[in-house]
Amino acid sequence: MGKMWHSILVVFGVLSVGNAITINVSQNGGNKTSPLQYGLMFEDINHGGDGGLYAELVRNRAFQGSTVYPANLDGYEPVNGAILALQNLSKPLSPSMPSSLNVAKGSNNNNNHGLIGFANEGWWGIEVKPQKYAGSFCVQGAYEGDFDVSLQSKITQEVFATAKVKSSGAQHKDWIQYKYELLPKKSASNTNNTLTITFDSKGLKDGSLNFNLISLFPPTYNNRPNGLRIDLVEAMAELEGKFLRFPGGSDVEGVQAPYWYKWNETVGDLKDRYSRPSAWTYEESNGIGLIEYMNWCDDMGLEPILAVWDGHYLSNEVISESDLQPYIDDTLNQLEFLMGGPDTPYGSWRASLGYPKPWQINYVEIGNEDNLYGGLETYIAYRFQAYYDAITAKYPHMTVMESLTGMPGPAAAASDYHQYSTPDGFVSQFNYFDQMPVTNRTLNGEVATVYPNNPSNSVAWGSPFPLYPWWIGSVAEAVFLLGEERNSPKIIGASYAPMFRNINNWQWSPTLIAFDADSSHTSRSTSWHVIKLLSTNKITQNLPTTWSGGDIGPLYWVAGRNDNTGSNIFKAAVYNSTSDVPVTVNFAGCNAKIANLTILSSDDPNASNYPGGPEVVKTEIQSVTANAQGAFEFSLPNLSVAVLKT
Ligand SMILES: *[C@@H]1O[C@H](CO)[C@@H](O)[C@H](O)[C@H]1NC(C)=O
Ligand SMILES: *[C@@H]1O[C@H](CO)[C@@H](O)[C@H](O)[C@H]1NC(C)=O
Ligand SMILES: *[C@@H]1O[C@H](CO)[C@@H](O)[C@H](O)[C@H]1NC(C)=O
Ligand SMILES: *[C@@H]1O[C@H](CO)[C@@H](O)[C@H](O)[C@H]1NC(C)=O
Ligand SMILES: *[C@@H]1O[C@H](CO)[C@@H](O)[C@H](O)[C@H]1NC(C)=O
Ligand SMILES: *[C@@H]1O[C@H](CO)[C@@H](O)[C@H](O)[C@H]1NC(C)=O
Ligand SMILES: *[C@@H]1O[C@H](CO)[C@@H](O)[C@H](O)[C@H]1NC(C)=O
Ligand SMILES: *[C@@H]1O[C@H](CO)[C@@H](O)[C@H](O)[C@H]1NC(C)=O
Ligand SMILES: *[C@@H]1O[C@H](CO)[C@@H](O)[C@H](O)[C@H]1NC(C)=O
Ligand SMILES: *[C@@H]1O[C@H](CO)[C@@H](O)[C@H](O)[C@H]1NC(C)=O
């Protein structure tokens, strides 16, 4: 009946105002919501880690490689005709950094001072601002003289900052680490800059020097050494997310044996960290290692959702049941490293790294998307259960999650539902969680519209996705997220994925945030705006509603209150309406006379935010006065997302 009425409206198209909906929000009877609700999902994809959130400015700082992505000299160029070569010395800087950069005098090196060296172009640029940069580099070889370190323009060679570092004498065998600081007096007009290190070839004893672990950091978030890029953290922090799922995603699985995620190789001094071929076409440095993740959670007040490796690679390789135990033990060691007292073997290692106080882990996810790449059969047969049993035996308080949904597993296990869909696909799943039994709990660890509407309403995997979230898709995500909010407490929380994309080198679009080396380009997507509105207007107790005036859709909503602030809250999205939708909301037992209404909309349903582009999301804030009956009346346009709050 409702459907027929809608189609009549479409056919004649005469009404400019749709069905008025009157919604009564009960005072009692709802459910407490999950404390997490909205959060963040992170893995190193799209150079969102190395070359993105990880503030290191030098690309390929330690020449680390693997059989998948061999060591190379990407990012480097010779200065003054120097000859650059990758070499494995008999005495490398460390076992995890076997290759280094040899810099030798070239035959055409005839400049007066004999200065030679190399330049690193950063992650497709280096931002230069008047602020303190802290750097270091390691050298092996015999040299008497200075090193000149500078930040300079690649286009004009203008030098923005320079430091002289004296060599500590004629060393032969040992690697020596030098530290330096750079303090530009002004900003460079663009990011086409390099870090350049030169030295006087006349002071060489053996004709060349070896370099490794060449590093430069701008100021970082919370001034953490080895820390995170401030503007990208700020873009995340504004969302007020409550959890962080890490370190993947596909990246926790690994491309092929033996490259599983070895947490123990991501902690400690940088020179002891191993690199790893990521799932995303490049070698990752593990500069953001387990401890950096935990500091990140602490600094932003995020609940860690720790994904652990579970015996399955993206190459379809699976560890057999009889060989699995060492890997399960490794996960228990990891949990002890994080949570154990300083008197436990792994807790004492953590303490020795400067972190005596144990962290608390409440959520562990076993693997990632084990329904894919030949993982499902063994996941069901033995892998999940083995990890589940081992973890819950030692840590009964933990929520242990399956990396998929709908699997027959232990009743207490939670699941992780990933959804990449079309706008219509998300809207049609508004009711998805209504069907889910109350005993099931799920995370929605990856949510994103990746494909335009089409007749079969399906995602064409393998064909290019849009570069940026676009408005109609972001509204559709809002509809889906409202469906989740209505179903708290079945839902642990939701996060968009992927979070970051460096637009100069990437594997997957669209993403929540796009960026390049220039922090003024960092772009908050249309989906970012939607999530921010929903996340920062937190409902702690959802409330049942009754309504008259039409079916759910084109208006979708959830109602509740925030018991910390006393606000009544109504969140809504409009999708597929031919006209504005008049809404009346009546909060039972609410005496407030005024409510704030925030409406997000856009002039163009296909519009995207992108680096350097205009803001396409319009934010309108209205003050709505209660009518004589105490209800709030307003109207919402097609393709809008709104929050009414007393
Ligand atoms: C240097 O060491 C790496 C890592 O062990 C190895 O893959 C590479 O083949 C070596 N290169 C040379 C030139 O020996
Ligand atoms: C940076 O400058 C160099 C030298 O002028 C030029 O070749 C290169 O294309 C520039 N890169 C970018 C990203 O503008
Ligand atoms: C890290 O732990 C794994 C599993 O226990 C082990 O195979 C690997 O050798 C360790 N890495 C180092 C550098 O000790
Ligand atoms: C709920 O969990 C059960 C197993 O406990 C599973 O069989 C079912 O498919 C789950 N339902 C959904 C919608 O995830
Ligand atoms: C939106 O409207 C279009 C065109 O009428 C229809 O094909 C589509 O199924 C609708 N989507 C939803 C989620 O209702
Ligand atoms: C609260 O949860 C119960 C199941 O425990 C469910 O039947 C009810 O619809 C939920 N109420 C709201 C307002 O979501
Ligand atoms: C909403 O509440 C009013 C009284 O406050 C009542 O008259 C009306 O019937 C209710 N409507 C619905 C759909 O529950
Ligand atoms: C309303 O929104 C739908 C998508 O939900 C869009 O396809 C349609 O063009 C919009 N209609 C109007 C009249 O703006
Ligand atoms: C939006 O893009 C879709 C294809 O992705 C196209 O069919 C539609 O016409 C576009 N709408 C507008 C208003 O440009
Ligand atoms: C409504 O907005 C005004 C202006 O931004 C603000 O001062 C007030 O606190 C808001 N009220 C509520 C209930 O959020």
Side-chain angles (χ1 to χ4, degrees), residues 64 152 209 211 279 416 606:
Q64 289 173 297
Q152 50 182 265
L209 287 180
F211 289 80
D416 185 1
N606 288 348

mmCIF file with all atom_site columns, all heavy atoms in Angstrom, residues 64 152 209 211 279 416 606:
data_model
loop_
_atom_site.group_PDB
_atom_site.id
_atom_site.type_symbol
_atom_site.label_atom_id
_atom_site.label_alt_id
_atom_site.label_comp_id
_atom_site.label_asym_id
_atom_site.label_entity_id
_atom_site.label_seq_id
_atom_site.pdbx_PDB_ins_code
_atom_site.Cartn_x
_atom_site.Cartn_y
_atom_site.Cartn_z
_atom_site.occupancy
_atom_site.B_iso_or_equiv
_atom_site.pdbx_formal_charge
_atom_site.auth_seq_id
_atom_site.auth_comp_id
_atom_site.auth_asym_id
_atom_site.auth_atom_id
_atom_site.pdbx_PDB_model_num
ATOM 1  N N   . GLN A 1 64  ? 65.021 -1.107 3.426   1.00 0.00 ? 64  GLN A N   1
ATOM 2  C CA  . GLN A 1 64  ? 64.564 -2.449 3.792   1.00 0.00 ? 64  GLN A CA  1
ATOM 3  C C   . GLN A 1 64  ? 63.736 -3.038 2.664   1.00 0.00 ? 64  GLN A C   1
ATOM 4  O O   . GLN A 1 64  ? 62.963 -2.338 2.003   1.00 0.00 ? 64  GLN A O   1
ATOM 5  C CB  . GLN A 1 64  ? 63.736 -2.379 5.081   1.00 0.00 ? 64  GLN A CB  1
ATOM 6  C CG  . GLN A 1 64  ? 64.595 -2.089 6.310   1.00 0.00 ? 64  GLN A CG  1
ATOM 7  C CD  . GLN A 1 64  ? 63.761 -1.862 7.541   1.00 0.00 ? 64  GLN A CD  1
ATOM 8  O OE1 . GLN A 1 64  ? 62.983 -0.919 7.594   1.00 0.00 ? 64  GLN A OE1 1
ATOM 9  N NE2 . GLN A 1 64  ? 63.916 -2.703 8.540   1.00 0.00 ? 64  GLN A NE2 1
ATOM 10 N N   . GLN A 1 152 ? 65.907 21.733 1.207   1.00 0.00 ? 152 GLN A N   1
ATOM 11 C CA  . GLN A 1 152 ? 65.997 22.686 0.105   1.00 0.00 ? 152 GLN A CA  1
ATOM 12 C C   . GLN A 1 152 ? 64.975 22.410 -0.989  1.00 0.00 ? 152 GLN A C   1
ATOM 13 O O   . GLN A 1 152 ? 64.437 21.305 -1.100  1.00 0.00 ? 152 GLN A O   1
ATOM 14 C CB  . GLN A 1 152 ? 67.405 22.722 -0.455  1.00 0.00 ? 152 GLN A CB  1
ATOM 15 C CG  . GLN A 1 152 ? 68.017 21.375 -0.777  1.00 0.00 ? 152 GLN A CG  1
ATOM 16 C CD  . GLN A 1 152 ? 69.452 21.536 -1.277  1.00 0.00 ? 152 GLN A CD  1
ATOM 17 O OE1 . GLN A 1 152 ? 69.687 21.593 -2.472  1.00 0.00 ? 152 GLN A OE1 1
ATOM 18 N NE2 . GLN A 1 152 ? 70.403 21.627 -0.366  1.00 0.00 ? 152 GLN A NE2 1
ATOM 19 N N   . LEU A 1 209 ? 81.353 6.414  1.547   1.00 0.00 ? 209 LEU A N   1
ATOM 20 C CA  . LEU A 1 209 ? 80.759 6.259  2.889   1.00 0.00 ? 209 LEU A CA  1
ATOM 21 C C   . LEU A 1 209 ? 79.452 5.483  2.740   1.00 0.00 ? 209 LEU A C   1
ATOM 22 O O   . LEU A 1 209 ? 78.816 5.521  1.687   1.00 0.00 ? 209 LEU A O   1
ATOM 23 C CB  . LEU A 1 209 ? 80.449 7.614  3.515   1.00 0.00 ? 209 LEU A CB  1
ATOM 24 C CG  . LEU A 1 209 ? 81.623 8.461  4.019   1.00 0.00 ? 209 LEU A CG  1
ATOM 25 C CD1 . LEU A 1 209 ? 81.083 9.765  4.593   1.00 0.00 ? 209 LEU A CD1 1
ATOM 26 C CD2 . LEU A 1 209 ? 82.414 7.692  5.093   1.00 0.00 ? 209 LEU A CD2 1
ATOM 27 N N   . PHE A 1 211 ? 75.591 4.872  4.328   1.00 0.00 ? 211 PHE A N   1
ATOM 28 C CA  . PHE A 1 211 ? 74.546 5.527  5.126   1.00 0.00 ? 211 PHE A CA  1
ATOM 29 C C   . PHE A 1 211 ? 73.371 4.574  5.356   1.00 0.00 ? 211 PHE A C   1
ATOM 30 O O   . PHE A 1 211 ? 73.066 3.735  4.509   1.00 0.00 ? 211 PHE A O   1
ATOM 31 C CB  . PHE A 1 211 ? 74.004 6.761  4.393   1.00 0.00 ? 211 PHE A CB  1
ATOM 32 C CG  . PHE A 1 211 ? 74.970 7.912  4.341   1.00 0.00 ? 211 PHE A CG  1
ATOM 33 C CD1 . PHE A 1 211 ? 75.994 7.938  3.402   1.00 0.00 ? 211 PHE A CD1 1
ATOM 34 C CD2 . PHE A 1 211 ? 74.862 8.973  5.225   1.00 0.00 ? 211 PHE A CD2 1
ATOM 35 C CE1 . PHE A 1 211 ? 76.885 8.996  3.342   1.00 0.00 ? 211 PHE A CE1 1
ATOM 36 C CE2 . PHE A 1 211 ? 75.748 10.044 5.185   1.00 0.00 ? 211 PHE A CE2 1
ATOM 37 C CZ  . PHE A 1 211 ? 76.762 10.056 4.235   1.00 0.00 ? 211 PHE A CZ  1
ATOM 38 N N   . ALA A 1 279 ? 50.323 -5.882 2.607   1.00 0.00 ? 279 ALA A N   1
ATOM 39 C CA  . ALA A 1 279 ? 49.328 -6.436 1.684   1.00 0.00 ? 279 ALA A CA  1
ATOM 40 C C   . ALA A 1 279 ? 49.070 -5.478 0.537   1.00 0.00 ? 279 ALA A C   1
ATOM 41 O O   . ALA A 1 279 ? 48.312 -5.789 -0.371  1.00 0.00 ? 279 ALA A O   1
ATOM 42 C CB  . ALA A 1 279 ? 48.042 -6.715 2.445   1.00 0.00 ? 279 ALA A CB  1
ATOM 43 N N   . ASP A 1 416 ? 32.356 -9.636 12.995  1.00 0.00 ? 416 ASP A N   1
ATOM 44 C CA  . ASP A 1 416 ? 32.752 -8.384 12.339  1.00 0.00 ? 416 ASP A CA  1
ATOM 45 C C   . ASP A 1 416 ? 32.156 -8.396 10.934  1.00 0.00 ? 416 ASP A C   1
ATOM 46 O O   . ASP A 1 416 ? 32.563 -9.190 10.089  1.00 0.00 ? 416 ASP A O   1
ATOM 47 C CB  . ASP A 1 416 ? 34.284 -8.269 12.301  1.00 0.00 ? 416 ASP A CB  1
ATOM 48 C CG  . ASP A 1 416 ? 34.748 -6.924 11.734  1.00 0.00 ? 416 ASP A CG  1
ATOM 49 O OD1 . ASP A 1 416 ? 33.882 -6.093 11.394  1.00 0.00 ? 416 ASP A OD1 1
ATOM 50 O OD2 . ASP A 1 416 ? 35.972 -6.719 11.625  1.00 0.00 ? 416 ASP A OD2 1
ATOM 51 N N   . ASN A 1 606 ? 26.275 13.971 -6.397  1.00 0.00 ? 606 ASN A N   1
ATOM 52 C CA  . ASN A 1 606 ? 27.510 13.291 -6.787  1.00 0.00 ? 606 ASN A CA  1
ATOM 53 C C   . ASN A 1 606 ? 28.759 14.033 -6.329  1.00 0.00 ? 606 ASN A C   1
ATOM 54 O O   . ASN A 1 606 ? 29.868 13.620 -6.639  1.00 0.00 ? 606 ASN A O   1
ATOM 55 C CB  . ASN A 1 606 ? 27.574 13.142 -8.312  1.00 0.00 ? 606 ASN A CB  1
ATOM 56 C CG  . ASN A 1 606 ? 26.586 12.104 -8.818  1.00 0.00 ? 606 ASN A CG  1
ATOM 57 O OD1 . ASN A 1 606 ? 26.020 11.347 -8.038  1.00 0.00 ? 606 ASN A OD1 1
ATOM 58 N ND2 . ASN A 1 606 ? 26.367 12.086 -10.117 1.00 0.00 ? 606 ASN A ND2 1
#
